[in-house]
Amino acid sequence: MKYYITTPIYYPSGKWHIGHCYTTIICDAIARFHRMKGEDVFFTTGTDEHGQKVEKEAAKRGVTPLAFITPLVDEIKEMWSLLDVSYDRFIRTTDPAHAECVQKIYQKLYDSGDIYKSEYEGYYCVPCESMWTEAQLVNGKCPDCGRAVERRKEESYFFRLSKYAPKILKHYGDNPEFLQPKSRVNEMVNNFLKEGLQDLSVSRTNVKWGVPLPFDERHTAYVWVDALINYLSVLGYLSADDSLFKKYWSANLHLMGKEIVRFHAIIWPAILMALGLPLPERNYGHGWLLIGGEKLSKSKETGSEELTDPYELVKRYGADAVRYFLLREIPFGSDGEYTNERFLLRVNADLANDFGNLVSRTEAMILQNFGCVPQRGKEEAVDKELIALANGTFAKVESAMEKLNAPDALSAIFALVSRANKYIDETTPWALAKDPAKKDRLGAVLYNLAEVVRMTAILLKPFLTKAPALVLKSLSQDENAGFEALQFGGLKGGEKVEKLEPLFPRIDVKKEMQAVAEFVRANRKKSEPKKTEKKQETMKKELITIDEFDKVEIRVGEVVACEKVAKSEKLLHETVRIGGEVRSVVSGIGKFYTPEEMVGKKVVVVTNLKPAKLCGVLSEGMILCAEDGEGNLSLVSPEKLMESGGSVR
RNA sequence: CGCGGGGUGGAGCAGCCAGGUAGCUCGUCGGGCUCAUAACCCGAAGGUCGCACGUUCGAAUCCUGCCCCCGCAACCA
């Protein structure tokens, strides 16, 4: 049986946090699970490297897009290797074979009439060089700069998405597995499919860094279509050698974060339908890791002291701990809170105290009393209960994993670990050891424990990549064993047992949390001065003339009213009197000043900055602040009492 | 009335679809044990299941209304 499983391909931003690892680690555990069942698994991941963002960043640095992006791709590959991600193929959208596949697919759809040329009508802001839809405009003006926009038509190629809406709806109905969890189906149906779909613009003329369309080189492929096609191109679809495609398509599982479900559940099936290909069996949109209720990327900006850097986490606690936390702690399908404390408590309680300690005490007693695995003995009622649980655990793990529910699978395994720890208390092997007449019973008890340890190690192999192999090796067992080795009784007795170092050293949570908080703070300080250095460098580079400086109009103003901008974190909305004029100004200083203390302050304002809307509030100027290396802000004000309206130069 | 998801002991979650003793993990407190990584085992305290109304012999679960949080969506000038 074959099993084709994919992660989305990632945009290599370089700012990695464990949220990024979440999808990939779950996929990896699922892939390993199926491999251990003896299935023919193909597991892919990769990077999404085209688009305007990359183009602009590269230009800023004066390098080619590919030269800019490649080190970042190497970084993500290193991260996957640190976390033992067992992908079979890594695809980059800049691989020539991928680009070729994209072109062939566009050509195919163009030939069949599913892609056609038309015009895209929108509102164009000339200074911003941006096209906006009617819904994006703010009071009919450009949402970026607040200036007037003009209605404009732009040539674009469209994909007949509209045609497929009814078919997709029907597919959802006929295949309840297709999109999970169920709540996502409601979201897609109610928000998009029910009202019918609009044809999708699938080409861009303003983005050069992309795959050029074969039938019109002035256009590049829309990045989302480009990216989705990776699931086919990685299998060699439409290439000279499409054996992988023949063998593995369609996908058994596309796993992704909930934010991109729309693309996978609507656009992707429509494209596949247009190509006449079978649809993926299952799409699953999982939840996010949150810090204080916010997405990780956001909370990073707002300065939380949680350690989220995967490299550092692996360095401190090991790949197994990071994998375990992600797989065990986050309720699958919904969002989950991340804190260092929860991470440490979870790892301590389960891996160190329960599992690691079980292995340690079992092997210690075997070595003290027998030196090798004892013979299987006569079974009493307690033994039978333990053995039955051990033999029944795989079925529970399998049924959880069929639902992709790693937390449930792991909790079934740890129920066995727990039962074994309790079994030790019930059978009191240390007491048996004191009575030579009970040597046989002692042997039987320790054999049962050794078996449970062996089986637990095998059960844990899809989830953890280091500890299970060590445990199996220490019992002289094949570390590559699959699930077929799970029947109780696998140990024959007499196997050499090797003393292990503690698998998961216990962490002093309080101390560690302090250390982590210090580390995060120190790291932030380290990275911030760099930013200011860079700023200074660019200042040096770009000398300006006095005339240019003269273009900036700066005046003294007085804050007459101030309030927090609703729904924003740092934005304050000030009403500033500048001479006879009163202006509305929004500034990002909410972390450092309260609205109350702002009122009455003399401030220095750039008054000829083009107006903009921030969080929907009009800002007609910029209040000047000094910023230190740590991002602390201080208002700049005239050193002697000055009338509002006075100019600054 | 935009659309979804959520509100359950101190923390994080399960239970809800198919009403009937409110469960799990962590934390707290007490006890046991000493093989083991001060780990393990047992017990206890702690909940008006967001609020209100209704259906029912009986509601965390079903109905209706409301409140709060989050995402889809403009944020650090």
Side-chain angles (χ1 to χ4, degrees), chain A residues 478-545:
Chain A
D478 177 12
E479 60 197 275
N480 298 313
F483 293 135
E484 70 285 346
L486 274 177
Q487 194 57 34
F488 190 93
L491 287 168
K492 298 298 164 226
E495 285 89 349
K496 197 178 145 224
V497 175
E498 200 184 309
K499 177 85 181 130
L500 283 173
E501 290 300 305
L503 291 167
F504 301 97
R506 202 180 144 72
I507 302 163
D508 184 329
V509 175
K510 266 191 189 163
K511 271 191 196 161
E512 183 61 20
M513 279 178 48
Q514 278 177 3
V516 164
E518 267 162 42
F519 175 84
V520 172
R521 253 176 272 144
N523 228 33
R524 189 172 300 146
K525 275 180 196 163
K526 238 192 272 165
S527 61
E528 301 259 335
K530 266 188 205 160
K531 266 189 201 162
T532 48
E533 269 167 35
K534 265 183 201 163
K535 271 183 196 165
Q536 280 162 0
E537 269 170 35
T538 51
M539 274 178 202
K540 276 178 199 164
K541 271 182 205 162
E542 295 166 25
L543 290 176
I544 58 167
T545 64

Side-chain angles (χ1 to χ4, degrees), chain A residues 389-613:
Chain A
L389 187 67
N391 278 330
T393 299
F394 177 68
K396 291 178 198 158
V397 173
E398 189 175 33
S399 110
M401 288 306 278
E402 247 143 50
K403 294 176 199 130
L404 312 180
N405 194 330
D408 274 7
L410 283 167
S411 91
I413 297 171
F414 276 81
L416 176 60
V417 170
S418 238
R419 189 64 193 80
N421 275 318
K422 186 173 170 176
Y423 175 82
I424 296 181
D425 250 59
E426 289 166 339
T427 53
T428 58
W430 56 89
L432 298 173
K434 283 177 190 148
D435 184 350
K438 290 179 177 160
K439 185 101 183 181
D440 281 355
R441 177 60 189 150
L442 176 64
V445 164
L446 293 181
Y447 175 88
N448 293 339
L449 285 169
E451 260 303 280
V452 169
V453 165
R454 181 186 71 87
M455 290 171 77
T456 305
I458 293 173
L459 286 164
L460 283 172
K461 275 178 59 183
F463 310 97
L464 309 183
T465 55
K466 313 276 192 212
L470 288 174
V471 170
L472 289 171
K473 252 197 343 221
S474 79
L475 291 170
S476 309
Q477 295 295 294
D478 177 12
E479 60 197 275
N480 298 313
F483 293 135
E484 70 285 346
L486 274 177
Q487 194 57 34
F488 190 93
L491 287 168
K492 298 298 164 226
E495 285 89 349
K496 197 178 145 224
V497 175
E498 200 184 309
K499 177 85 181 130
L500 283 173
E501 290 300 305
L503 291 167
F504 301 97
R506 202 180 144 72
I507 302 163
D508 184 329
V509 175
K510 266 191 189 163
K511 271 191 196 161
E512 183 61 20
M513 279 178 48
Q514 278 177 3
V516 164
E518 267 162 42
F519 175 84
V520 172
R521 253 176 272 144
N523 228 33
R524 189 172 300 146
K525 275 180 196 163
K526 238 192 272 165
S527 61
E528 301 259 335
K530 266 188 205 160
K531 266 189 201 162
T532 48
E533 269 167 35
K534 265 183 201 163
K535 271 183 196 165
Q536 280 162 0
E537 269 170 35
T538 51
M539 274 178 202
K540 276 178 199 164
K541 271 182 205 162
E542 295 166 25
L543 290 176
I544 58 167
T545 64
I546 185 82
D547 291 341
E548 278 173 296
F549 177 72
D550 209 41
K551 287 180 190 166
V552 184
E553 181 186 89
I554 308 176
R555 301 173 69 187
V556 176
E558 183 182 351
V559 179
V560 295
C562 181
E563 60 191 30
K564 245 188 105 86
V565 175
K567 285 187 183 173
S568 78
E569 277 185 27
K570 306 185 191 172
L571 294 185
L572 294 183
H573 178 199
E574 298 94 358
T575 305
V576 185
R577 192 171 58 81
I578 301 161
E581 196 186 350
V582 172
R583 291 207 191 193
S584 160
V585 176
V586 179
S587 23
I589 55 175
K591 280 258 156 104
F592 305 95
Y593 293 92
T594 64
E596 295 74 40
E597 66 181 316
M598 285 301 292
V599 175
K601 276 212 158 63
K602 287 267 166 42
V603 291
V604 174
V605 185
V606 178
T607 47
N608 64 337
L609 200 62
K610 66 183 177 184
K613 286 227 168 185

Side-chain angles (χ1 to χ4, degrees), chain A residues 105 109 112 114-115 159-169 171-172 178 193 197-200 202 225 228 232 262-280 283:
Chain A
I105 286 174
L109 297 181
S112 70
D114 273 309
I115 285 179
F159 171 66
R160 286 191 204 281
L161 192 57
S162 56
K163 181 170 137 190
Y164 294 98
K167 292 182 191 176
I168 293 170
L169 262 175
H171 190 81
Y172 284 6
F178 180 71
L193 288 165
L197 300 170
Q198 291 190 343
D199 285 353
L200 180 72
V202 291
V225 174
L228 286 165
L232 287 172
R262 219 180 94 208
F263 301 96
H264 286 80
I266 295 178
I267 298 177
W268 186 227
I271 291 172
L272 291 169
M273 284 172 175
L275 289 168
L277 295 177
L279 302 193
N283 285 284

